[in-house]
Amino acid sequence: MRKQRALLSMAALSACALAVAGCGGSSSSGGGGTSLSVPKLSAPTALGKSEGQLNLIAWAGYAEDGTNDKTVDWVTPFEKQTGCQVNVKIGNTSDEMVTLMKSGQYDAVSASGDATLRLIYGGDVAPVNTSLVPNYKTVSTFLKDKPWNSVNGQMYGIPHGWGANLLMSNSSVVSPAPTSWGAVFDANSPYKGKITAYDSPIYIADAALYLKATKPELKITNPYELDDAQFTAAVDLLTTQRGLIGEYWSDYTKEVSAFESGDSVIGTTWQVIANLITADAKVKVNAVLPQEGSTGWSDTWMVGAKAAHPNCAYQWMNWIISPKVNAQVAEWFGEAPAQTLSCKETADPDHCTTYHATDSAYAAKIAYWTTPTKNCGDSRGNVCKDYAAWTQAWTQIKG
């Protein structure tokens, strides 16, 4: 893991003040099964010549050209090989990315799961012909045709990288190491004031995931598809937890500092954060995927519906998931590569083991970030809480 990874301003799912306008829900499997329609857009059947230009919106660290570190550059080789000059706009939040894509000025975006359905149902991204992306064949199957990147069996993007939200604890203070999310939700926790949690409305799903395992009477099947009773239970749990929280985090450096100073001793984290703390050797931590499973992310490269340079966009998608390049991105960014063949290309031979890159059983324990919508994706219909409701509730929870 490279310490230079100070670029991780990443997947901080921001409080989205916008309703998911016109956005329906996805089913709990395969991305299909809803009665809602998406804008009628078609995927190309063949690629033409490179247009010589490519305008991207990307999380920091996803499109490195050597500016931040001369040894970290997979953009320049792409430009030389394809003739597509890459222009990158860093997206700081998912909400910002959605807004930028609506402008029609960008060819592709590295979207997280809280943005993808908004982009699909909003008609801002086009369906993707995966046969035109040769490297897609060897992408992990558990990332394909999922609720956050497809609708009715049609892929709307190419999986890029993924990871789980883990439970981390200070090994010297929290003993034995917990194996359940109950450790951060226990109203009588001995660690009151030193518990930390991810600062985003999407964190409501973490509470729902815990309730799914511990309160079966709520009948939660999907932590992103919550009706009024389920949503209220999750909000109530988080409201109680608020009295235990020392501080929330969205900037990974904030959590690193809090654990190293002792201000935080237990809470949700990413594997890369645990790696950084371990590398600093100032404090020993334990990071696990708890018995209830966890939430997590799977980022997707999507092509703009109004892309002026679609041929370059397709070439970029194939490039970014090629074995060597996807390995470079995954190590720099601190995540599991989507490309199965990347595990033979990582500088750290243990990278894929550390991040469980090809472990389908591990991946199956993750409830990947998916945009909450009113459509429950089942017989309940349109009675679930959408992301606007999640945002409002999160504001109230934090006070």
Side-chain angles (χ1 to χ4, degrees):
M1 176 58 218
R2 301 181 181 182
K3 289 292 295 278
Q4 300 100 312
R5 195 190 173 288
L7 294 170
L8 180 75
S9 59
M10 180 263 170
L13 294 173
S14 71
C16 170
L18 301 176
V20 189
C23 184
S26 64
S27 69
S28 59
S29 63
T34 70
S35 60
L36 298 172
S37 61
V38 294
K40 293 183 179 180
L41 300 170
S42 59
T45 57
L47 296 182
K49 294 182 180 180
S50 299
E51 300 92 351
Q53 187 105 340
L54 178 62
N55 299 320
L56 301 176
I57 303 171
W59 292 116
Y62 270 11
E64 291 298 296
D65 63 359
T67 300
N68 294 297
D69 186 322
K70 292 181 180 180
T71 66
V72 182
D73 183 359
W74 48 86
V75 169
T76 302
F78 169 78
E79 293 175 326
K80 291 180 178 179
Q81 179 175 307
T82 65
C84 301
Q85 181 65 40
V86 178
N87 305 301
V88 181
K89 168 68 175 179
I90 299 300
N92 296 306
T93 68
S94 289
D95 190 31
E96 180 183 355
M97 288 182 170
V98 170
T99 299
L100 290 170
M101 285 303 290
K102 286 184 179 298
S103 72
Q105 299 176 17
Y106 297 90
D107 302 304
V109 59
S110 62
S112 290
D114 71 320
T116 49
L117 290 185
R118 282 186 282 164
L119 292 168
I120 293 171
Y121 282 95
D124 301 308
V125 293
V128 167
N129 183 346
T130 58
S131 67
L132 300 180
V133 185
N135 285 315
Y136 179 76
K137 294 179 181 179
T138 44
V139 163
S140 292
T141 56
F142 53 77
L143 300 176
K144 298 178 178 179
D145 192 23
K146 296 301 177 181
W148 60 89
N149 59 25
S150 69
V151 174
N152 296 326
Q154 170 63 60
M155 287 294 292
Y156 276 78
I158 301 297
H160 168 103
W162 61 279
N165 296 316
L166 304 174
L167 174 61
M168 182 167 67
S169 57
N170 182 318
S171 300
S172 299
V173 179
V174 183
S175 182
T179 59
S180 168
W181 287 114
V184 298
F185 290 121
D186 180 5
N188 299 310
S189 173
Y191 311 112
K192 179 179 180 180
K194 293 194 174 184
I195 295 176
T196 189
Y198 191 51
D199 189 2
S200 168
I202 209 70
Y203 184 65
I204 293 173
D206 290 58
L209 186 75
Y210 177 66
L211 291 172
K212 176 185 175 184
T214 58
K215 297 287 185 181
E217 63 271 22
L218 289 171
K219 299 180 180 181
I220 295 175
T221 58
N222 185 320
Y224 304 100
E225 297 173 349
L226 305 177
D227 58 32
D228 187 65
Q230 296 166 342
F231 187 74
T232 297
V235 170
D236 287 347
L237 181 60
L238 291 170
T239 300
T240 297
Q241 186 199 47
R242 179 66 184 93
L244 307 173
I245 298 291
E247 63 179 5
Y248 292 97
W249 68 274
S250 57
D251 177 351
Y252 87 103
T253 60
K254 184 176 182 180
E255 186 175 37
V256 170
S257 297
F259 266 81
E260 291 185 341
S261 68
D263 289 340
S264 294
V265 299
I266 188 170
T268 185
T269 195
W270 298 328
Q271 183 64 58
V272 64
I273 297 175
N275 291 354
L276 287 171
I277 294 174
T278 299
D280 286 343
K282 293 180 180 180
V283 61
K284 185 177 180 180
V285 295
N286 181 70
V288 299
L289 190 152
Q291 62 193 36
E292 299 90 0
S294 77
T295 59
W297 78 90
S298 172
D299 288 344
T300 305
W301 280 101
M302 311 181 87
V303 179
K306 299 177 182 178
H309 315 104
N311 296 308
C312 281
Y314 266 80
Q315 290 183 77
W316 171 260
M317 289 192 297
N318 192 53
W319 172 264
I320 205 68
I321 60 163
S322 60
K324 184 176 181 179
V325 176
N326 206 219
Q328 289 177 295
V329 180
E331 286 196 281
W332 175 254
F333 193 78
E335 63 184 353
Q339 175 57 252
T340 59
L341 301 181
S342 292
C343 294
K344 297 180 180 179
E345 302 288 346
T346 56
D348 175 4
D350 296 323
H351 181 85
C352 283
T353 299
T354 299
Y355 287 87
H356 303 270
T358 57
D359 187 343
S360 59
Y362 181 90
K365 298 176 183 178
I366 301 172
Y368 297 93
W369 285 336
T370 305
T371 312
T373 66
K374 290 183 178 180
N375 188 298
C376 296
D378 54 33
S379 60
R380 290 174 295 171
N382 297 322
V383 299
C384 282
K385 299 295 185 179
D386 63 14
Y387 200 53
W390 285 47
T391 300
Q392 182 179 11
W394 184 247
T395 300
Q396 294 172 345
I397 289 167
K398 291 184 62 181

